[in-house]
Amino acid sequence: MLLNGPNLNLLGRREPARYGTTTLAEIEKAVSELGRSWGWEVVCFQSNHEGALIDCIHNAFGRVDLIIINPGAYTHTSVALRDALAGVAIPVIEVHLSNIHAREEFRHHSFIAPIAVGQIAGFGADGYRLAMEGARHYLTVRKGGEGQHRPEQSPVPLAQAAQSRVARLRQRWGDGIDAFLILSPENRRYLSGFTGSAGFLLVDREGQWLATDFRYWEQAREQAPDWTLLRQKGAWTEALREAVADRGWRNIAVESDVVTLEQQQKLRTALPDVHWVPRQGVVESLRMVKDEGEQLALSRAAALADRGFQHILGYMRPGMTERDVALELEFFLRREGAQGVSFAFIVASGERSALPHGVASDKKIGTGELITLDFGCILEGYCSDMTRTVIFGPPTAEQRKVYDTVLDAQKRALDAIAPGKSGRAIDRIARDVIEAAGYGEHFGHGLGHGVGLLVHENPRLSALSEDVLEPGHVVTVEPGIYIPGWGGVRIEDLVIVTADGCRNLTTSPKELLVL
Ligand SMILES: O=C1C[C@@](O)(C(=O)O)C[C@@H](O)[C@@H]1O
C-alpha cells in the first residue's frame, strides 16, 4: 500500500524547486505499474487528515504486506500515526522527496523512522521507486516470501548441498574408520536430501548408499540421485548385512547418541565381525553452520511465524481459551503453507505465564493478564521459533517493570552476538540484566538454543555451554522472568550469526503490546 500524507496532493505545483514537477497521480501510476510487473497489487491513498490516514492503516490490517508511506509533515508530529503503524504490525518503508535531514531542525526528527524497515529521503519522486525496490528486497529476502502468496515451496537445493556435506563428514569422522552408518532421521535428511521416514545411510571413503523400503524407492531416487539405492525388502539389518558383506570393512562408526540398545544388539548379531565405533555429534556439528539454502528456509519459516503473530493479534479476545488461540494460530500457519508446527504451542496466560513451557490449556484468558505465546512452524523441513508476551488492558507497574527488564536483557544479548563469542558469555549478558533488576532466581533456563531441522539443537547459549559462535549459526535469544503465582514474560527472536554480528529473522514488534 502506498500512503501519502498532507499537501502531497499538491505535488507538481507545490514548491517545485524542492519537490520537483512530478504529480502525485504520476507517482501512484508508476508505483502501481511497477508493482503489477512483479505480480503485486498496489493500493494508493492520500489524505490531508491524520484520522483518515489512521483509518486507512487500520483497514490494512491482515490485508496488506507492506506500507510505503510519505507522511508529509505528520512525520515530525504524529505519535498517533506511528502508533497506528506499530499497532497493525505491517512493515513500513518511509519516503521523503526532500532530504529532511538537510533541512530545518524540526524536520530532522521522524516519529515513524524507529518503527520502519528503512527510510529513503532526498531522491525526489525517484524515492518511491527506490522504496518499491526496498519493499521487494524486504519481502523476498528478509521476510522470506512475496506478499500474501504462500511461502514459495521451492526446495532448498539439497542434492547439491548434500554432496559437500558428505565430503565434510569424511574429513571429520577421524582415523581408523572404514565407513559411517547414519540412523538419525535428521542426519539422514541433511546428508542425502531424502525426506522419507525410514532408512539408513552408509558412507565410506568413496561410496554412499541409501537404504529404504518399498514405500520410498521412487522418492529416494528423486531426492537423492547421487546415492546408490539399497532396496530394503526385509529387516533393515538384513539390508545392512548385504551392503557390508564383501567390502572388508572392520570399523564402522555409529551415532552413539542415537543408536538404542536394541539396535546395538541387532547390529552385533547381523555383523558379528564388525567393530562398531561410537561417534557422537559428528553430523550434528556440521549441521550447526547453516548454508545459504538452509538460511533461506529458516528465514521463510520465521517470516511465516511473524505473519502468524500478526494474525493472532487481530483474533485474540478476552474470554477465549488458550487452546482457542493456539488452534487458530496453528490453523493459520498450516493454511499459509507450513508443513507442520515446530512444537506444541505455548499459550500461557495470567499465573500460567509463570510456566516457561505452559502448553495451551482450557484456561480462559482474562483482562490484565500477561499472555506468553511461544510458537513456530516448519518450512522445507526447517523450524522457526519465536515468543512474544502481550497483555489485555493496561499493565501494572510491576508487569511493565518485568517486561522492560526482559526486553532490555534480550536487546543487550542481541547486540553482543558475534562470531567468536561464547554461548556462555552471551547468556551471561542477559542474566546480568535480569539479576541486577532483582529477578535472577526467576530466570532458570538457558538464554537460547540452535534451530534447524530440529527446533532444539546446538549451539546453546547457556551457563553450561561450551559452544563458540560462528557465522551461519542460527540461535534463539529468549530471556524470561517467571514468578510463581504472579506470571511471567519471555521475548524470543531467531537470529543468524553473521560475519560481524547477527541478522534477526524475527521482525514482530517487541514493545509491550496492550491489546
Ligand atoms: O510535506 C512534506 C514533504 C516531505 O515529506 C518530503 O517528501 O520531502 C518532507 C516533510 O518535512 C514535509 O512536511
Side-chain angles (χ1 to χ4, degrees), residues 6-8 14 18-19 70-76 95-100 103 106-107 122 128:
N7 303 311
L8 292 162
R14 174 193 181 196
R18 185 180 302 283
Y19 296 119
N70 182 344
Y74 287 141
T75 310
H76 321 296
V95 189
H96 300 283
L97 296 121
S98 62
N99 180 359
I100 53 172
R103 296 181 61 188
F106 64 83
R107 293 186 205 272
Y128 290 91

Side-chain angles (χ1 to χ4, degrees), residues 143 147-149 151 303-312 332 336:
K143 287 269 290 181
Q148 290 283 13
H149 305 305
L304 182 50
D306 271 330
R307 286 175 51 211
F309 181 60
Q310 187 184 321
H311 171 78
I312 210 67
F332 174 87
E336 292 297 305

Side-chain angles (χ1 to χ4, degrees), residues 439-514:
Y439 297 109
E441 61 174 312
H442 299 302
F443 176 27
H445 59 71
L447 178 67
H449 52 85
V451 177
L453 289 168
L454 287 177
V455 74
H456 292 117
E457 50 181 55
N458 290 337
R460 309 279 163 170
L461 309 181
S462 82
L464 302 175
S465 175
E466 302 284 328
D467 298 320
V468 174
L469 294 176
E470 283 178 42
H473 283 174
V474 173
V475 291
T476 65
V477 181
E478 47 176 315
I481 294 175
Y482 314 93
I483 305 172
W486 181 85
V489 170
R490 179 168 61 253
I491 305 170
E492 174 186 25
D493 289 342
L494 188 62
V495 306
I496 299 182
V497 180
T498 59
D500 54 1
C502 71
R503 179 158 69 88
N504 200 331
L505 301 180
T506 307
T507 57
S508 294
K510 279 197 279 205
E511 61 266 29
L512 179 56
L513 292 178
V514 180

Side-chain angles (χ1 to χ4, degrees), residues 153-168 185-196 201 208 219-220 222-227 287 289-297 300 339 379-382 452-453:
Q153 290 295 304
S154 70
V156 174
L158 269 176
Q160 200 189 338
Q163 277 318 105
S164 76
R165 295 171 189 169
V166 172
R168 275 181 289 139
E186 291 76 32
N187 291 346
R188 182 177 65 217
R189 175 179 181 147
Y190 178 74
L191 292 169
S192 70
F194 170 59
T195 61
L201 304 180
Q208 51 190 42
Q219 183 180 330
E222 266 176 38
Q223 292 182 323
D226 299 321
W227 291 69
R287 275 174 39 200
V289 177
K290 271 67 182 181
D291 62 31
E292 218 181 306
E294 293 179 291
Q295 292 186 17
L296 189 59
R300 284 181 182 157
Q339 293 165 331
L379 279 180
E380 299 300 333
Y382 286 80
L453 289 168

